[in-house]
Amino acid sequence: MSIFLGSLSPRFYVALTGTSSLISGIILIVEWWYFRKYGTSFIEQVSNNHLAIGSDDNETNTNQTADGGGKQKFKVWRNPLNLFRGSEYNRFQWVTGQEPLTFYDMNLSAQDHQTYFTIMQKAWRERNPQARIRAAHQALKEDPECAAGYILLAEEEATTILEAERLFKKALKCSEVLYRKSQILQHHNPILEAEHRRDTNVLVYIKRRLAMCARKLGRTREAIKMMRDLLLFQLMKEFPLMNMLNIHENLMEALLEIQAYADVQALLHKYDDISLPKSATICYTAALLKARVVCDKFSREVATKRGLSAAELSAVEAIHRAVEFNPHAPKYLLEMKCLILPPEHILKRGDSEAVAYAFYHLPHWKHVSGALNLLHCTWEGTFRMIPYPLEKGNLFYPYPNCTESADRELLPAFHYVSVYPKKEWPLYIMVVASVCTITAILAILTHQYPETMIVCAKTITEFLSLLLTPFAVILEKVDSLMPASMWHLLTKI
């Protein structure tokens, strides 16, 4: 071995280490790119799916089902507390120069408007805001009673909430007239029935946005009355799309503003049902009401010594339930992450829902003395109960693994999307990075000090041969003691 190493020139070592460094660097880049895009190691994926290294058949089947050869499907919901484009989103863009809404989010809104209103289809499809506004003015010029035209102008052209409210009131007068007319004729034929359904959707949308205008302008009790009226229509089954608008969440937020906690509890009793879909607003509001009872006197040190009382345990369990449903919201409520304007659509249990919830409900948590302290002391304990959230949940279904990709399409590019569970660098990437770094250092040292590196290589080789000498002697003795046909017999077994 020493004769062979002595015959090698320094150029060989330079070429060897340089080639190894280049190959390791390429592998590292590919691994990093694959991990950032798909959230897993490429080498680990190949070994699990094709070579079956370090995994059984059940794990392989689970991975294939989760990946499915493509992106997992997800459902986005209309944000019940979405802002006004002209008076809020556009003002943010004018001040900061950053776009608060993504094209995907705005395209979903355009599809919603086309589905709800079924008129002015071309105007809603326009990508340019000025083109949409011109189309609305043209529609009002042709038909002064076009409620959808006023809606579009109130949403996009109005630069203040007062101006938007004025336009919505005009739209309300037009829509009420059309609604009464279509209500009388709806049973005559299917076309008139579809027109009545459209007029119903327009009327509900306008009243909901007027209630939001009143809430933003400080007329909270007026907004609560309007929202209660809309929920009353829902009980009468007058408006079939009421469940999609989630007006009860608007009402819940307004009641929290005036600290009407008994009314909020009554709403939770009705909507926090196992048969109804959950949301961050419902889960975290339930946690807030239970925390309100005990949080003013809560102390971590005292609770550690004497244990939790029944009321404190109930509050902690409610917080754990809320965190399990949406683990992103506590960081915004505790101001560990910066808030941004909420999108027009949200993904339940995702970062977009957490942003939308905290944007409006953070002041309500601050109004309750000690609520944020209790949340800070207990929210991380949720993760100990669900060590594998993608495989099994505690009170809810396993956490979906498609939220990150969906939130990146809903939230603006300047926002750092929260990821749960937090992805750790796989062992393969760590090993590849170490090999790449070591070979790069060896290549540089061999190029700069070839003679010294040859001496070092010979020294290391001799040292390793000395270390392995006892093992070689032991193997020789064992081999001499064993029968000559032992290895043949073992291979047959």
Side-chain angles (χ1 to χ4, degrees):
M1 178 65 70
S2 60
I3 298 173
F4 172 74
L5 291 175
S7 63
L8 298 177
S9 64
R11 291 182 180 180
F12 171 79
Y13 292 102
V14 173
L16 177 63
T17 52
T19 305
S20 303
S21 179
L22 177 62
I23 295 173
S24 302
I26 293 173
I27 295 173
L28 177 62
I29 293 172
V30 172
E31 279 282 279
W32 175 82
W33 169 82
Y34 194 87
F35 180 77
R36 288 294 300 273
K37 187 173 183 180
Y38 299 104
T40 185
S41 167
F42 175 74
I43 299 176
E44 185 177 2
Q45 193 78 4
V46 171
S47 63
N48 287 339
N49 293 343
H50 302 286
L51 303 179
I53 298 175
S55 65
D56 54 12
D57 295 337
N58 294 332
E59 290 181 347
T60 304
N61 294 334
T62 303
N63 292 335
Q64 291 174 352
T65 303
D67 295 340
K71 290 185 178 180
Q72 199 177 52
K73 292 183 178 180
F74 53 85
K75 180 180 180 181
V76 295
W77 298 73
R78 183 82 177 178
N79 182 9
L81 298 171
N82 65 308
L83 308 180
F84 296 87
R85 284 194 190 176
S87 55
E88 292 176 303
Y89 288 121
N90 287 349
R91 289 177 65 183
F92 174 84
Q93 186 174 358
W94 295 336
V95 173
T96 63
Q98 296 175 324
E99 295 185 1
L101 297 175
T102 63
F103 172 74
Y104 176 72
D105 192 14
M106 292 189 289
N107 187 47
L108 289 176
S109 298
Q111 294 176 15
D112 291 342
H113 292 148
Q114 293 175 66
T115 304
Y116 294 160
F117 307 147
T118 68
I119 52 177
M120 294 179 58
Q121 299 278 341
K122 185 178 179 181
W124 297 117
R125 284 196 299 265
E126 291 286 351
R127 296 182 63 176
N128 188 358
Q130 297 303 320
R132 290 194 294 269
I133 293 172
R134 285 196 300 270
H137 282 293
Q138 182 64 28
L140 289 172
K141 186 177 180 180
E142 296 175 359
D143 180 14
E145 302 299 320
C146 181
Y150 287 114
I151 291 175
L152 197 151
L153 294 179
E155 292 282 357
E156 306 225 10
E157 189 181 40
T159 57
T160 63
I161 301 295
L162 282 172
E163 187 179 353
E165 186 182 36
R166 178 180 61 82
L167 290 169
F168 274 122
K169 286 181 177 179
K170 288 184 179 181
L172 180 63
K173 292 179 180 179
C174 300
S175 64
E176 285 178 340
V177 173
L178 294 173
Y179 174 75
R180 284 193 291 267
K181 288 181 181 180
S182 62
Q183 189 178 26
I184 298 172
L185 304 173
Q186 63 174 317
H187 301 295
H188 289 193
N189 56 59
I191 297 177
L192 294 176
E193 184 180 356
E195 290 182 358
H196 176 66
R197 190 160 52 247
R198 176 200 66 197
D199 295 336
T200 301
N201 296 338
V202 172
L203 183 62
V204 170
Y205 184 89
I206 294 171
K207 286 187 174 182
R208 173 176 168 271
R209 294 305 263 175
L210 278 173
M212 294 185 67
C213 287
R215 167 69 181 89
K216 292 175 183 293
L217 294 172
R219 306 195 304 269
T220 309
R221 296 190 181 276
E222 178 185 344
I224 291 174
K225 182 180 182 303
M226 298 173 70
M227 294 173 190
R228 287 189 186 277
D229 291 341
L230 287 173
L231 289 177
L232 182 61
F233 285 127
Q234 180 185 7
L235 293 176
M236 297 167 60
K237 297 183 179 180
E238 190 76 16
F239 300 138
L241 290 177
M242 189 70 67
N243 287 328
M244 296 180 61
L245 298 176
N246 291 326
I247 295 179
H248 60 277
E249 295 189 11
N250 295 74
L251 177 59
M252 204 174 293
E253 191 278 328
L255 290 171
L256 286 172
E257 177 63 22
I258 63 172
Q259 300 182 9
Y261 297 114
D263 294 336
V264 176
Q265 186 63 56
L267 271 179
L268 285 175
H269 181 72
K270 179 179 180 181
Y271 290 100
D272 193 5
D273 187 80
I274 192 172
S275 61
L276 297 177
K278 297 293 182 291
S279 67
T281 300
I282 290 176
C283 293
Y284 277 90
T285 302
L288 175 61
L289 293 187
K290 290 188 177 181
R292 173 176 166 268
V293 180
V294 298
C295 62
D296 55 339
K297 298 179 181 179
F298 179 80
S299 173
R300 175 184 285 181
E301 291 76 13
V302 175
T304 304
K305 291 179 181 179
R306 62 169 173 79
L308 294 174
S309 63
E312 290 174 342
L313 183 61
S314 177
V316 172
E317 288 177 350
I319 290 176
H320 288 174
R321 171 177 177 261
V323 174
E324 181 184 355
F325 183 83
N326 192 312
H328 309 283
K331 289 187 177 181
Y332 296 104
L333 293 174
L334 297 173
E335 299 180 272
M336 299 167 64
K337 284 192 67 177
C338 295
L339 270 175
I340 60 171
L341 296 184
E344 293 182 339
H345 289 80
I346 60 174
L347 179 71
K348 287 193 175 183
R349 306 188 73 178
D351 192 31
S352 52
E353 185 190 30
V355 169
Y357 171 78
F359 186 83
Y360 276 97
H361 288 263
L362 177 58
H364 308 323
W365 280 81
K366 290 184 176 181
H367 288 163
V368 180
S369 177
L372 290 176
N373 176 51
L374 179 60
L375 178 67
H376 174 71
C377 295
T378 57
W379 74 280
E380 291 181 336
T382 309
F383 307 127
R384 290 193 291 269
M385 299 186 297
I386 44 175
Y388 305 103
L390 298 179
E391 301 174 7
K392 183 180 179 181
N394 184 28
L395 299 175
F396 299 100
Y397 286 108
Y399 190 79
N401 58 0
C402 62
T403 56
E404 181 184 359
S405 59
D407 283 329
R408 290 190 189 281
E409 295 187 10
L410 290 171
L411 296 170
F414 61 83
H415 174 69
Y416 182 75
V417 176
S418 178
V419 179
Y420 175 81
K422 188 176 180 181
K423 296 178 180 177
E424 298 180 354
W425 290 101
L427 178 63
Y428 291 102
I429 295 182
M430 306 282 288
V431 172
V432 170
S434 303
V435 172
C436 179
T437 304
I438 292 172
T439 52
I441 294 173
L442 290 175
I444 294 172
L445 292 176
T446 306
H447 180 71
Q448 295 293 332
Y449 312 102
E451 300 295 337
T452 306
M453 292 301 295
I454 291 176
V455 174
C456 292
K458 292 179 180 179
T459 304
I460 293 172
T461 304
E462 293 175 357
F463 178 72
L464 291 176
S465 62
L466 288 175
L467 287 178
L468 296 175
T469 300
F471 297 100
V473 173
I474 293 172
L475 287 175
E476 289 178 359
K477 289 185 178 180
V478 170
D479 186 55
S480 62
L481 294 175
M482 292 173 59
S485 60
M486 177 61 70
W487 293 114
H488 181 66
L489 294 174
L490 290 176
T491 54
K492 286 186 176 181
I493 294 174

